[in-house]
Amino acid sequence: MKSLTDLVSVLPGVGPKKAQYLNQLGIYDINNLLNYFPFRYENLQIKPINEIKDQEKVILKGKVALEPRLNFFGRKKNILNLRLLLDNDVVPVSFFNQPWLKKRIQIGEEILVYGKFNLVKKSLSGIKLLSRYEKFNSMQPIYSTNKNISQKEIVKLIKLAFEEYKDLIHNLVPSKIIEKYKLLNLIDVIRWMHFPRTKQETFLALRTAKFNEFFLFQMKLQSIKKLDFNHGIQIDYDEHTVKKFINHLPFQLTGSQTKVVKEILFDMHDSKQMNRLLQGDVGSGKTIVAATAIYAAITSGYQVALMVPTEVLAEQHANKLAKLFEPLGINVALLTGNTKPKPKISLLDGLVNGDIDLLIGTHALIQEKVIYNNLGLIIIDEQHRFGVNQRKQLRNKGKSPNVLSMTATPIPRTLAITAYGEMDVSIIDELPKGRMPIKTTWIRNNQFKSILPFVYERLQKHEQIYIVTPLIEDSDAVNMRNAEQIYQQFADIFQPKYKVGILHGKMKDAEKNLVMNSFKHNDFQILVSTTVIEVGVDVSNATVMIIFDAEHFGLAQLHQLRGRVGRGNNQSYCILVADPKNELGAKRMNVMVDNNNGFIISQKDLELRGPGDVIGNKQSGIPQFKVGDPVSDVIMLNIAQQEAIQIVSTKNWENIKENKELASFIQTSLSEKILD
Ligand code: ADP
Ligand code: MG
């Protein structure tokens, strides 16, 4: 029996190789193929000749005035010239390297030619001859393809799949909602996204496609929220004890910190399982907020797990929190992929029997052998670095433990609430008092030498320096050479008086730790690194951050990197070395120079994005959508969320006949880890 989940290889002409190429585009089954939407359309029109702009792609319709002439030149090159008689004009048309067209074009015949218009010469460089009988679509879909699959092939496959499978396409969105918002049926969305006849059709199809995408996303989030976050452990902490802890901190909590601590403690005490996201700029003091929640849980008799994305960060957190908690009689342990078998055995023992109160580590915390005695609170730092399923696995280590997720890449509140959907959001929006803002400058590559005296001066003051080069995807080799070149350059200048170290993604975790620790101990003064130092690393003696090729980073990431300095009492500096290719790039650099607030930077980053530019999203942890844009379509995202909440909160919604397709779709996609 046919099904939309049939693999693409069922289509004629799709062998193992072709299937593999399609997989590279994320197309595995018929459903994927039908939902592989064009990223833009070329709007083709037969236009009066005086309305055509230079280099515009158009269709001309006219009579062939002279016998077409084929000329050969160079090696294997040829050009077919003809003249097209329009109402009042004669337009020269030339086809490059399409000699076979000569036979198909007769003098006196009326033809349609698609091509690019040259206004000065009033000529057309022909791209395609549309056959006399061809019904041309004025809207030509353009798909993103790879070098192994052509536009033509994609179009052909989609056409085939649509013809074969269209009877199986049913709405997932309930018809009430379709009517309410005047949406299209799914079959029309797919038909018009791929084969539109007019601009209006593409517009309508895209509108519904976006809604569908947001709606299904929200249905998944809301289902998770309902299924997974029901009744939770009620942490009955002693208010007086927690107050005493806060009062004994070496500083006073900021207003913002106090507010979010309240929100978190309230959730922990509530019978509902906490699922809260704590957003706060780098240096806003999330750790101490987390520590307060940890203290409340542990003094109420529960264990706490703190999961972080990197080894370096895990170790750092463990050191910090052990210092804070061990004098208070709290047992802190560290578990990473590098924990040796022997200590690991006793650690796991201590965890099962409840001796260990706080376990800090990487995703090693979700290994099967790790069994907790009484897990009451989970904290996930840099939560967007973990998949939904990893987070779920950690939750399953306890009986509905409370969950606090943290992120240092702030996004605007309205967006956070809808994009994260299943979580409540707390925001720290002020920095501790007395912080000296980091001074940021932007220089061009050719000005690089001019900063060396400044670097030298900082070194003489016994301060330390970070130097970062971008990690460009798929070009690790190039990137490593860059880091190494820069390392060499600085070593030549400053050694032996000051030492230079290097850190990059190809190193083993243990090696990275070693390098980080010796930098922390000031064994060397300049650290050249790829972005592996990005998160959370804390060396308070480092005061200068130099970022090469800064235009290759997202603003959120630049802000994160910059946050590695300014952690101590000395004035800190950030130097961006960049030659941006265009005005937008220059603007982005200036945003960094002019702003120190992560929320403002992320807002500007979103404003400055080009359409469809999702790089910024990836870095900020905003979920990725195919057609919808969570920023510019935030209102629609909001509506989709409201509707999803409405459905999921209806008793037995899965069993209502009209929701059957939707319910089974959500069920499979949740079990298929699609959210990862
Ligand atoms: P982040 O939010 O980036 O994790 P941290 O928790 O590492 O920030 O805090 C940054 C630094 O600020 C730490 O050294 C911490 O001790 C300090 N800090 C946190 N809260 C306050 C406060 N209310 N007043 C002064 N210093 C604070
Ligand atoms: Mg926290």
Side-chain angles (χ1 to χ4, degrees), residues 583-624:
E583 201 187 333
L584 185 68
K587 266 192 193 150
R588 289 158 51 82
M589 291 303 107
N590 283 322
V591 168
M592 293 306 297
V593 172
D594 296 338
N595 296 282
N596 252 310
N597 179 320
F599 281 96
I600 293 173
I601 288 170
S602 80
Q603 182 70 47
K604 300 223 166 173
D605 199 11
L606 294 173
E607 284 165 14
L608 287 177
R609 294 172 331 144
D613 169 18
V614 285
I615 296 164
N617 291 359
K618 218 180 254 170
Q619 274 147 4
S620 61
I622 302 172
Q624 307 263 304

Side-chain angles (χ1 to χ4, degrees), residues 16 55 224 226 248 298 303 399 448 460 485 605 622 632:
Q55 301 303 312
I224 291 175
K226 186 172 166 186
H248 278 85
I298 291 174
Q303 286 176 311
K399 296 189 191 87
F448 163 66
Q460 278 183 313
Q485 274 168 359
D605 199 11
I622 302 172
S632 57

Side-chain angles (χ1 to χ4, degrees), residues 527-597:
L527 175 61
V528 179
S529 164
T530 58
T531 51
V532 288
I533 58 153
E534 184 184 343
V535 263
V537 172
D538 203 5
V539 179
S540 56
N541 191 45
T543 57
V544 181
M545 166 65 66
I546 301 171
I547 304 173
F548 280 94
D549 298 319
E551 74 271 25
H552 290 297
F553 292 98
L555 295 192
Q557 208 181 0
L558 286 176
H559 184 63
Q560 284 281 309
L561 287 168
R562 179 169 63 180
R564 296 309 108 221
V565 296
R567 315 207 125 225
N569 298 324
N570 294 324
Q571 174 65 53
S572 289
Y573 306 86
C574 174
I575 298 165
L576 307 170
V577 187
D579 288 318
K581 297 272 172 312
N582 53 33
E583 201 187 333
L584 185 68
K587 266 192 193 150
R588 289 158 51 82
M589 291 303 107
N590 283 322
V591 168
M592 293 306 297
V593 172
D594 296 338
N595 296 282
N596 252 310
N597 179 320

Side-chain angles (χ1 to χ4, degrees), residues 235-404:
I235 298 186
D236 205 1
Y237 65 91
D238 178 46
E239 212 163 313
H240 180 69
T241 310
V242 175
K243 267 210 181 108
K244 221 167 81 185
F245 171 78
I246 293 174
N247 288 336
H248 278 85
L249 292 173
F251 44 73
Q252 208 179 355
L253 293 187
T254 62
S256 248
Q257 284 173 318
T258 308
K259 184 191 69 190
V260 301
V261 163
K262 256 191 205 144
E263 291 169 347
I264 292 164
L265 290 181
F266 180 89
D267 275 8
M268 282 166 49
H269 185 257
D270 194 67
S271 64
K272 203 175 120 277
Q273 185 180 12
M274 170 163 80
N275 187 21
R276 188 168 278 280
L277 176 68
L278 175 60
Q279 281 199 45
D281 208 345
V282 271
S284 63
K286 291 182 294 295
T287 312
I288 206 65
V289 169
T292 308
I294 292 169
Y295 188 73
I298 291 174
T299 50
S300 311
Y302 292 97
Q303 286 176 311
V304 180
L306 168 58
M307 184 162 74
V308 301
T310 67
E311 200 96 4
V312 174
L313 204 52
E315 223 170 79
Q316 192 176 287
H317 270 307
N319 289 336
K320 250 191 189 170
L321 292 175
K323 230 183 258 168
L324 180 68
F325 284 135
E326 274 172 355
L328 303 172
I330 289 172
N331 241 330
V332 181
L334 171 70
L335 176 65
T336 70
N338 285 334
T339 306
K340 297 264 171 345
K342 247 195 187 153
K344 188 168 170 181
I345 290 172
S346 75
L347 185 151
L348 292 179
D349 257 3
L351 203 60
V352 177
N353 66 30
D355 282 346
I356 291 171
D357 302 308
L358 170 61
L359 183 63
I360 298 166
T362 55
H363 54 267
L365 299 197
I366 54 181
Q367 290 168 349
E368 217 170 302
K369 287 168 289 189
V370 183
I371 299 161
Y372 299 79
N373 180 291
N374 190 13
L375 188 58
L377 172 66
I378 286 169
I379 298 179
I380 302 172
D381 200 8
E382 297 297 325
Q383 62 97 23
H384 62 273
R385 303 271 291 254
F386 295 98
V388 169
N389 284 293
Q390 285 177 314
R391 291 184 250 158
K392 187 170 175 155
Q393 279 168 28
L394 184 56
R395 288 203 300 275
N396 290 343
K397 296 279 183 184
K399 296 189 191 87
S400 313
N402 293 285
V403 181
L404 178 65

Side-chain angles (χ1 to χ4, degrees), residues 89-241:
D89 297 275
V90 176
V91 178
V93 176
S94 53
F95 284 98
F96 185 66
N97 280 354
Q98 301 189 46
W100 57 87
L101 290 180
K102 186 170 169 21
K103 274 197 216 128
R104 285 178 45 194
I105 299 174
Q106 313 295 330
I107 186 164
E109 175 195 28
E110 180 156 272
I111 58 170
L112 292 168
V113 184
Y114 168 55
K116 206 191 245 178
F117 192 70
N118 182 317
L119 191 63
V120 182
K121 293 186 188 156
K122 270 209 164 183
S123 66
L124 190 79
S125 116
I127 296 169
K128 191 179 176 198
L129 176 73
L130 303 168
S131 85
R132 247 170 309 172
Y133 309 104
E134 189 169 1
K135 268 196 290 168
F136 68 89
N137 267 331
S138 72
M139 301 297 288
Q140 293 278 342
I142 310 291
Y143 297 88
S144 77
T145 52
N146 58 25
K147 61 177 186 297
N148 299 316
I149 302 230
S150 67
Q151 286 289 329
K152 221 164 142 184
E153 246 169 326
I154 281 277
V155 172
K156 198 179 97 191
L157 289 174
I158 290 173
K159 230 173 225 167
L160 259 171
F162 186 73
E163 286 311 319
E164 280 294 309
Y165 287 86
K166 63 175 180 246
D167 296 341
L168 299 178
I169 301 173
H170 301 295
N171 286 334
L172 293 173
V173 178
S175 46
K176 257 191 280 175
I177 296 179
I178 293 185
E179 278 159 34
K180 185 169 169 189
Y181 298 105
K182 306 214 164 21
L183 301 170
L184 300 179
N185 290 318
L186 188 55
I187 179 132
D188 290 326
V189 173
I190 290 174
R191 190 198 315 269
W192 287 356
M193 285 299 280
H194 295 299
F195 321 112
R197 290 161 303 188
T198 61
K199 209 171 185 168
Q200 176 73 356
E201 286 183 349
T202 62
F203 173 79
L204 291 174
L206 190 61
R207 179 173 170 270
T208 300
K210 282 179 179 182
F211 184 89
N212 289 356
E213 188 175 31
F214 287 151
F215 175 75
L216 295 176
F217 171 74
Q218 289 292 344
M219 280 300 298
K220 285 181 225 165
L221 292 189
Q222 300 307 327
S223 305
I224 291 175
K225 188 171 183 172
K226 186 172 166 186
L227 292 175
D228 294 8
F229 293 89
N230 235 324
H231 287 282
I233 293 172
Q234 228 169 318
I235 298 186
D236 205 1
Y237 65 91
D238 178 46
E239 212 163 313
H240 180 69
T241 310

